[in-house]
Amino acid sequence: MKIIMLGAPGAGKGTQAKMIAEKFAIPHISTGDIFRANIKNNTPLGQEAKKYMDEGKLVPDELTVKILLDRVAQDDCKNGYVLDGFPRTIPQAEVLDQELTKLNDQIDYAIDVDVPDENIVKRMSGRRACLTCGATYHIEHIPPKQEGICDKCGSELVQRDDDKEETVLNRLKVYHDQTQPLIDYYTKKNILKTVDGTVDMKDVFAAITAILE
Ligand code: AP5
Ligand code: MG
Ligand code: ZN
């Protein structure tokens, strides 16, 4: 099963994608997580991506597409995957479709986690992330067992550099300009499914599971 997660920054794509990956035993592939891991390790890719991410802009398509296509070509992706944060532009979606068509394959579902802008800024200010394993928490809604420490791997939790309010507002603008057109794109392909992302994360997951099963 090949799934794409759509939704504004902070809608809960990552939270849901991790649960889907676990339940269906497929890899969770987040381009944002890949970039953040590269920034953490100070690789050339990380240095390049950071320039854009810190301002809430998109990393250029050429760079992002190459990374994603390399990742989905790996062996663990044979039985499917859940993409979180890719595609984010129409050209990215077109390249992915072209590559899949070559393999006689296609995306099964594009799931839009719908959360209005008003809710987003508040969510982001409470988010804490583990840069080691990619786990995400929220200081009010989804707190770690021990403050500041990742439940899964014991690393220190941090606030993401791009979760400052002004950067979040920029990311929302970029989302509406460049990513929201994908809703139409996948509606036309008859694979778009929308779920309400404002309810409890378990209820969001139940709605997604009902679609996938
Ligand atoms: P990326 O890492 O993908 O960030 P994003 O899309 O802005 O999304 P987030 O990770 O911020 O939010 P999310 O939807 O995953 O929400 P989460 O589950 O964490 O990208 C970062 C940057 O990388 C981009 O700005 C860009 O520069 C670059 N980039 C990445 N991919 C790219 C691409 N394809 N092309 C070009 N550039 C690219 O949840 C958010 C918070 O809410 C958490 O605290 C969570 O605990 C909480 N929460 C989740 N669900 C609920 C719920 N139901 N109720 C209450 N709280 C909840
Ligand atoms: Mg995410
Ligand atoms: Zn961790």
Side-chain angles (χ1 to χ4, degrees):
M1 188 153 46
K2 297 189 173 62
I3 303 165
I4 288 171
M5 302 303 291
L6 296 174
K13 300 182 295 295
T15 303
Q16 297 300 325
K18 286 188 193 80
M19 294 195 274
I20 294 170
E22 203 165 304
K23 183 171 170 83
F24 295 94
I26 49 177
H28 164 215
I29 301 175
S30 157
T31 38
D33 285 353
I34 295 172
F35 290 139
R36 279 185 291 278
N38 277 277
I39 291 172
K40 189 173 178 229
N41 296 325
N42 203 19
T43 67
L45 169 64
Q47 287 167 6
E48 184 64 19
K50 188 171 167 44
K51 292 190 232 161
Y52 301 93
M53 290 172 72
D54 280 354
E55 290 181 29
K57 293 183 183 154
L58 295 184
V59 177
D61 283 345
E62 307 83 69
L63 203 59
T64 311
V65 163
K66 183 178 180 317
I67 283 152
L68 191 278
L69 294 183
D70 284 351
R71 179 65 190 88
V72 296
Q74 288 173 25
D75 263 1
D76 64 334
C77 291
K78 282 213 176 76
N79 296 323
Y81 42 74
V82 49
L83 300 185
D84 158 18
F86 187 100
R88 245 185 165 89
T89 63
I90 297 279
Q92 288 182 13
E94 288 172 346
V95 174
L96 179 63
D97 278 342
Q98 283 156 19
E99 289 300 313
L100 287 170
T101 305
K102 280 187 211 161
L103 304 168
N104 220 342
D105 204 350
Q106 65 195 42
I107 296 293
D108 299 294
Y109 297 101
I111 298 173
D112 178 32
V113 183
D114 187 28
V115 176
D117 287 9
E118 305 85 85
N119 304 32
I120 298 286
V121 178
K122 190 157 175 287
R123 263 195 199 184
M124 305 299 242
S125 62
R127 171 163 59 187
R128 296 295 179 271
C130 174
L131 298 183
T132 304
C133 78
T136 311
Y137 303 85
H138 190 283
I139 50 176
E140 285 166 38
H141 310 300
I142 308 158
K145 292 196 185 78
Q146 194 186 340
E147 195 186 318
I149 305 291
C150 179
D151 291 352
K152 303 217 169 75
C153 76
S155 300
E156 193 190 342
L157 298 178
V158 297
Q159 182 157 29
R160 269 169 48 177
D161 286 341
D162 59 349
D163 277 351
K164 289 180 299 200
E165 184 169 336
E166 68 202 80
T167 314
V168 170
L169 293 175
N170 241 337
R171 285 161 62 198
L172 273 173
K173 186 178 178 311
V174 168
Y175 167 75
H176 290 299
D177 289 349
Q178 302 196 52
T179 307
Q180 216 171 18
L182 291 174
I183 306 264
D184 254 10
Y185 182 90
Y186 289 113
T187 301
K188 287 190 185 124
K189 291 186 176 287
N190 274 320
I191 58 169
L192 187 87
K193 304 283 173 185
T194 304
V195 296
D196 179 1
T198 63
V199 296
D200 189 273
M201 59 183 263
K202 290 189 196 66
D203 298 323
V204 181
F205 187 57
I208 293 176
T209 310
I211 292 164
L212 300 180
E213 277 177 346

